[in-house]
Amino acid sequence: MTWNSLLEEWARRSWRDVTELAEALLDWLDRGGFPPKTSDTPELGSEWHAAVAKAAAIYAMKRAEAVLDDPDGIPARVAFTLTCAQCNVEGPNTFYEAKHKGWTRIQYMPASTSENFLGICFPCSQRQ
């Protein structure tokens, strides 16, 4: 099912696949295809599911395109909050400052709870 695949690829940060799946879902819905079940709440109805699926697909496609369009994988208008994936130290306030201070493997992590980016700080990268 396209909906579940879209969610899985978003979680994997497979941005090209997210774009393709979002486009496929939008095309399906625009052609009158039945909407995916977006919630376990039974009283919502198909109009709700269609609206949620369409909004989510548009959001996912735009965010994926923004990540893919930026040479550093940083989507526009996303706060830059960085944490080291190994030692949990907080990073600098900008991508460019982080790169200057030796941070590596910086990735956009939309599913994280307190930061938007994970990377490896300079001290941790020296231990590898």
Side-chain angles (χ1 to χ4, degrees), residues 101-122:
K101 290 186 175 186
W103 283 69
T104 59
R105 298 184 359 209
I106 299 169
Q107 284 191 310
Y108 174 54
M109 302 292 289
S112 295
T113 56
S114 63
E115 68 280 321
N116 290 325
F117 294 85
L118 286 178
I120 305 296
C121 69
F122 182 73

Side-chain angles (χ1 to χ4, degrees), residues 28-106:
W28 172 257
L29 293 171
D30 287 345
R31 289 185 291 128
F34 60 89
K37 187 176 178 184
T38 60
S39 170
D40 289 332
T41 304
E43 300 84 15
L44 296 177
S46 65
E47 286 183 19
W48 172 271
H49 293 300
V52 169
K54 192 168 193 170
I58 290 168
Y59 171 78
M61 184 171 57
K62 287 183 180 194
R63 182 54 54 94
E65 288 173 347
V67 172
L68 291 169
D69 286 347
D70 187 274
D72 298 313
I74 300 174
R77 295 181 299 279
V78 170
F80 188 81
T81 53
L82 175 65
T83 300
C84 180
Q86 293 183 354
C87 72
N88 229 18
V89 68
E90 290 185 19
N93 293 327
T94 69
F95 174 82
Y96 302 102
E97 186 181 354
K99 292 298 278 186
H100 180 72
K101 290 186 175 186
W103 283 69
T104 59
R105 298 184 359 209
I106 299 169

